[in-house]
Amino acid sequence: MSVQARQNQGVQSIGFGIITVSDTRTQETDKSGQFLIEAVKAAEHQIESYQLIKDEQSVIKKTIENLMVQPKVEAIIINGGTGIAKRDVTYEAVEALLEKELPGFGELFRYLSFTEDIGTGAMLSRAIAGVVNGKALFSLPGSTGAVRLGLTRLILPEIRHIVHELNK
């Protein structure tokens, strides 16, 4: 199946939940979260929820769990907290919830980050994606460049196909 055929498969508009994980950002300074909202809307999808939360594992897990039971949310994108600093615990929170991991997402994200964005610094990324409660979950680093790369090169080109597969 061609890329175009996969992109056109399934529902036309996806309901997204956006979560920014940060101890320092506010809604006014959350450039990555705002980029996600604008780009998802520009791709003719819906923003069902946007939340800015602290980088605490229990808070991240609870926020994801709350979004996963909302019927209009079909996909969640998290940005932030994926590095290797002590405070970066998004990966651990997401990994613990995944029913099925999509290892290719993290692999491709790091490859694209290496070749198109930050070079060898890509090895520090712990981007991860998978399925929770029959819904797609993507976790990206918090930089706007990383969010742009992950959304435009990986998530948006495949989201309709992913949601179609999850709803079969």
Side-chain angles (χ1 to χ4, degrees):
M1 181 181 296
S2 72
V3 171
Q4 187 63 39
R6 279 195 320 276
Q7 290 173 350
N8 292 331
Q9 189 174 30
V11 294
Q12 293 303 305
S13 182
I14 308 298
F16 280 86
I18 306 295
I19 302 170
T20 295
V21 176
S22 177
D23 290 333
T24 59
R25 294 184 196 172
T26 65
Q27 288 192 357
E28 294 76 30
T29 62
D30 181 17
K31 293 179 184 177
S32 295
Q34 293 308 315
F35 173 81
L36 283 168
I37 291 168
E38 292 167 16
V40 165
K41 285 180 179 179
E44 301 181 357
H45 299 296
Q46 306 300 315
I47 300 298
E48 300 298 335
S49 175
Y50 162 71
Q51 298 177 57
L52 179 84
I53 61 173
K54 295 292 181 195
D55 201 345
E56 295 177 14
Q57 198 167 348
S58 62
V59 174
I60 297 166
K61 286 171 103 173
K62 187 67 174 168
T63 303
I64 294 168
E65 289 167 345
N66 288 341
L67 284 176
M68 284 299 166
V69 297
Q70 292 186 20
K72 292 184 178 183
V73 173
E74 299 168 282
I76 295 174
I77 303 174
I78 302 169
N79 77 94
T82 62
I84 60 170
K86 288 181 182 178
R87 291 288 300 152
D88 293 330
V89 295
T90 302
Y91 179 90
E92 288 75 16
V94 169
E95 182 186 42
L97 293 173
L98 293 180
E99 296 161 6
K100 292 183 179 184
E101 185 178 350
L102 297 173
F105 176 80
E107 294 162 1
L108 284 169
F109 178 80
R110 283 180 285 280
Y111 170 76
L112 292 171
S113 293
F114 174 76
T115 59
E116 298 180 16
D117 193 18
I118 59 172
T120 55
M123 76 172 90
L124 300 177
S125 169
R126 298 188 306 146
I128 187 171
V131 178
V132 179
N133 196 31
K135 299 180 184 194
L137 175 61
F138 304 93
S139 180
L140 295 165
S143 77
T144 305
V147 166
R148 180 179 291 110
L149 180 74
L151 183 69
T152 62
R153 294 293 307 275
L154 298 172
I155 298 169
L156 288 178
E158 289 296 325
I159 193 60
R160 287 182 176 98
H161 181 229
I162 291 168
V163 171
H164 171 77
E165 290 295 314
L166 292 173
N167 290 324
K168 281 203 302 194

